[in-house]
Amino acid sequence: MNTPLPKPTIAIATVVKNDLQRLRKTVKSVYEQSTSHEFEYIVHCHADDTQSLQYCKGLESLFHLKGNARFLHSSRHDNGIYDAMNRALELSSAQFIIFLNCGDIFFDNLALDRLIAELSFRNGEWCDGGVHYHSPFVYENDSIYYN
């Protein structure tokens, strides 16, 4: 008999429209999070994104094997990225949510643990994270060079 997971502190939400390659990269980053905390991962696919939807159907059992992760997905028509984000938000039962854009990744596999620790330290009021951006281009004197 499966016992339900307790209400998670954190949910991670990704919205996608016709970008399976980048979705795979983001899902891998979420799946590789090394945490003992329960969390939800929610993917909202645009209604006409059949490839991403098909991919998501196989992820529920994969995330279930982690033992501390709940995977949810939806596929409905939306009116743009913010509407899609709200649809993902509707599925969450967590106290806090991270919107991890399609194609984005966590800095490393301990990012979620550090975030939860920071939320605990701040008594769950708010938290933000640094962004590390890597570009192969160097900008100097109003010119762009490939690094």
Side-chain angles (χ1 to χ4, degrees):
M1 180 171 143
N2 290 341
T3 56
L5 291 173
K7 182 177 180 178
T9 302
I10 293 285
I12 303 145
T14 301
V15 299
V16 60
K17 181 177 181 181
N18 300 322
D19 200 347
L20 180 58
Q21 181 179 350
R22 291 180 59 196
L23 177 62
R24 288 179 193 267
K25 177 180 170 183
T26 303
V27 167
K28 182 178 186 286
S29 177
V30 172
Y31 184 79
E32 290 177 347
Q33 287 301 295
S34 180
T35 181
S36 60
H37 298 281
E38 280 79 21
F39 69 95
E40 290 177 336
Y41 185 39
I42 302 162
V43 176
H44 173 77
C45 305
H46 190 275
D48 66 357
D49 189 353
T50 55
Q51 284 186 321
S52 296
L53 177 61
Q54 198 63 29
Y55 172 68
C56 286
K57 287 181 179 180
L59 293 176
E60 188 172 337
S61 58
L62 180 69
F63 274 83
H64 180 74
L65 292 173
K66 284 183 71 75
N68 64 333
R70 182 178 314 148
F71 180 80
L72 305 161
H73 70 279
S74 68
S75 177
R76 295 176 22 203
H77 177 75
D78 57 68
N79 295 312
I81 190 167
Y82 297 111
D83 186 38
M85 292 167 94
N86 282 320
R87 291 182 190 271
L89 186 59
E90 290 170 358
L91 293 175
S92 177
S93 64
Q95 294 173 286
F96 297 95
I97 191 158
I98 302 166
F99 287 99
L100 191 63
N101 292 328
C102 184
D104 289 353
I105 59 172
F106 284 113
F107 181 72
D108 61 22
N109 66 349
L110 297 174
L112 205 52
D113 261 354
R114 284 194 299 275
L115 177 65
I116 292 170
E118 186 70 19
L119 284 168
S120 297
F121 176 74
R122 296 180 182 272
N123 294 321
E125 291 179 16
W126 61 272
C127 188
D128 64 357
V131 174
H132 294 270
Y133 179 75
H134 173 73
S135 173
F137 300 100
V138 176
Y139 301 91
E140 292 178 4
N141 302 325
D142 296 327
S143 297
I144 301 173
Y145 303 94
Y146 189 74
N147 189 8

